[in-house]
Amino acid sequence: MKKLIAVCILLMLVLASCTTSQRPNPMGSSSVQSKPELSSAETTNTTGDAPYTISNSYIAITNTAAKYFIQTYTLIDNSHKNSKVSIRFPQLVMGDDAINKLIENYAIHFAENGYGKDYANLSLDVDYHITYNDDEWISISFNGFGNVKTAPHPNNILTTLNINLKNGSTLKLSDIYTIDKSFVQIYRKEFAKQMAYRFGVADTTANEAARNYLDQYDDKTLTGYLNDSYCYMTCDKIGISFETIFAMGNHFEPEIPYSDLLPYLKLHTAPFSKPGFGTMVGW
């Protein structure tokens, strides 16, 4: 009888160990610290807009440089005709409620901002990546796949949200840098170089067209575009998005070291003024 009890206890310990070790890291980063799962919670919108649900089930990531954890929530909306929308977004545990509401509202209006308020026949699946965070900043890249059945092809989607955690303000590229002709020249060079790397080194017509994609825009047009461009922060670089044709992935983000852009800096604070400052997680 004692042997049987001992065997049962051993089996229970093995099963518990397997359950812990097999829990997936949702962000795929070795620097992420796993936290115990939370009980699932679900809320339903009651504002009178199209109904949706928001649920959460686990704490996703933490950054040792910040005094908060980051929890993943999922918004589901099937209320529009023949549409299915799923958007995952972060919330800061022990963070500012106003910051969390800002991020949540961004997720809630994600579909209508891209496809109109009365969209239909839409399949949209969006996830997020934290490209940078500390106690002052969080930079979020929303990446996904959207397909309207009546459209000629689907879309690869990228939008970003850069938030100052101290005052709740959001940043776009023109808040950080003075975007002038010389800034544009740096961007052209990096776009061509990194696009060539993306498509390989073979000197083919397709690769040449990709590298020279920005040649179709003059400096004035490109300056105006970059002023409204999505950007994201990393520990030592800034990623600047540019829309491309479907065959090139719909968008491309050259990443430029902060140190290369110091002459154009308007926001003299870390990490922009101190390359290498901070911690990148979850990318």
Side-chain angles (χ1 to χ4, degrees), residues 187-226:
Y187 187 76
R188 285 186 187 277
K189 179 180 177 181
E190 289 299 324
F191 186 99
K193 181 174 69 175
Q194 295 180 40
M195 182 64 80
Y197 179 80
R198 176 178 179 176
F199 280 85
V201 296
D203 188 16
T204 65
T205 301
N207 286 0
E208 184 178 357
R211 291 193 301 269
N212 299 328
Y213 187 79
L214 295 186
D215 289 353
Q216 63 185 299
Y217 303 99
D218 60 30
D219 287 345
K220 182 178 180 181
T221 301
L222 193 52
T223 298
Y225 185 96
L226 291 179

Side-chain angles (χ1 to χ4, degrees), residues 67-101:
K67 297 182 179 69
Y68 53 82
F69 299 114
I70 299 172
Q71 186 173 0
T72 295
Y73 281 64
T74 302
L75 178 147
I76 300 292
D77 183 2
N78 298 323
S79 63
H80 291 70
K81 184 178 180 181
N82 299 323
S83 293
K84 182 177 181 180
V85 172
S86 176
I87 300 170
R88 286 163 293 286
F89 61 96
Q91 295 280 264
L92 279 56
V93 180
M94 298 181 292
D96 189 330
D97 287 343
I99 300 295
N100 283 334
K101 194 63 179 176

Side-chain angles (χ1 to χ4, degrees), residues 205-249:
T205 301
N207 286 0
E208 184 178 357
R211 291 193 301 269
N212 299 328
Y213 187 79
L214 295 186
D215 289 353
Q216 63 185 299
Y217 303 99
D218 60 30
D219 287 345
K220 182 178 180 181
T221 301
L222 193 52
T223 298
Y225 185 96
L226 291 179
N227 269 283
D228 293 323
S229 178
Y230 289 115
C231 67
Y232 59 83
M233 303 155 57
T234 76
C235 58
D236 58 354
K237 298 176 183 177
I238 188 159
I240 306 173
S241 184
F242 197 91
E243 289 186 15
T244 64
I245 58 176
F246 173 69
M248 292 171 60

Side-chain angles (χ1 to χ4, degrees), residues 37-45 52-59 71-76 87 89 91 104:
E37 290 187 1
L38 302 180
S39 58
S40 178
E42 187 171 280
T43 59
T44 302
N45 168 50
Y52 57 82
T53 60
I54 294 176
S55 61
N56 68 284
S57 57
Y58 53 82
I59 288 179
Q71 186 173 0
T72 295
Y73 281 64
T74 302
L75 178 147
I76 300 292
I87 300 170
F89 61 96
Q91 295 280 264
E104 180 182 323

Side-chain angles (χ1 to χ4, degrees), residues 6-225:
V7 169
C8 291
I9 292 173
L10 179 61
L11 285 173
M12 290 174 65
L13 291 173
V14 170
L15 288 173
S17 175
C18 291
T19 301
T20 302
S21 63
Q22 292 176 1
R23 180 178 296 133
N25 180 346
M27 304 306 291
S29 172
S30 60
S31 64
V32 171
Q33 301 176 11
S34 299
K35 288 293 173 179
E37 290 187 1
L38 302 180
S39 58
S40 178
E42 187 171 280
T43 59
T44 302
N45 168 50
T46 56
T47 62
D49 298 329
Y52 57 82
T53 60
I54 294 176
S55 61
N56 68 284
S57 57
Y58 53 82
I59 288 179
I61 59 177
T62 181
N63 178 0
T64 54
K67 297 182 179 69
Y68 53 82
F69 299 114
I70 299 172
Q71 186 173 0
T72 295
Y73 281 64
T74 302
L75 178 147
I76 300 292
D77 183 2
N78 298 323
S79 63
H80 291 70
K81 184 178 180 181
N82 299 323
S83 293
K84 182 177 181 180
V85 172
S86 176
I87 300 170
R88 286 163 293 286
F89 61 96
Q91 295 280 264
L92 279 56
V93 180
M94 298 181 292
D96 189 330
D97 287 343
I99 300 295
N100 283 334
K101 194 63 179 176
L102 188 159
I103 299 171
E104 180 182 323
N105 284 337
Y106 196 85
I108 289 171
H109 297 289
F110 193 102
E112 70 177 57
N113 287 339
Y115 296 92
K117 192 168 185 178
D118 298 319
Y119 58 83
N121 302 304
L122 172 64
S123 176
L124 180 63
D125 188 76
V126 176
D127 209 342
Y128 74 89
H129 302 279
I130 306 296
T131 61
Y132 181 92
N133 76 308
D134 58 19
D135 284 332
E136 184 172 4
W137 302 100
I138 186 167
S139 186
I140 310 165
S141 171
F142 291 92
N143 302 73
F145 179 84
N147 185 29
V148 178
K149 295 176 183 178
T150 55
H153 54 71
N155 288 310
N156 294 298
I157 300 165
L158 178 136
T159 67
T160 61
L161 191 57
N162 305 299
I163 306 174
N164 185 318
L165 300 177
K166 300 296 185 183
N167 58 27
S169 63
T170 58
L171 281 181
K172 58 183 180 179
L173 187 65
S174 58
D175 295 323
I176 307 169
Y177 297 106
T178 298
I179 303 172
D180 57 16
K181 185 176 180 178
S182 56
F183 185 101
V184 165
Q185 296 309 312
I186 293 176
Y187 187 76
R188 285 186 187 277
K189 179 180 177 181
E190 289 299 324
F191 186 99
K193 181 174 69 175
Q194 295 180 40
M195 182 64 80
Y197 179 80
R198 176 178 179 176
F199 280 85
V201 296
D203 188 16
T204 65
T205 301
N207 286 0
E208 184 178 357
R211 291 193 301 269
N212 299 328
Y213 187 79
L214 295 186
D215 289 353
Q216 63 185 299
Y217 303 99
D218 60 30
D219 287 345
K220 182 178 180 181
T221 301
L222 193 52
T223 298
Y225 185 96

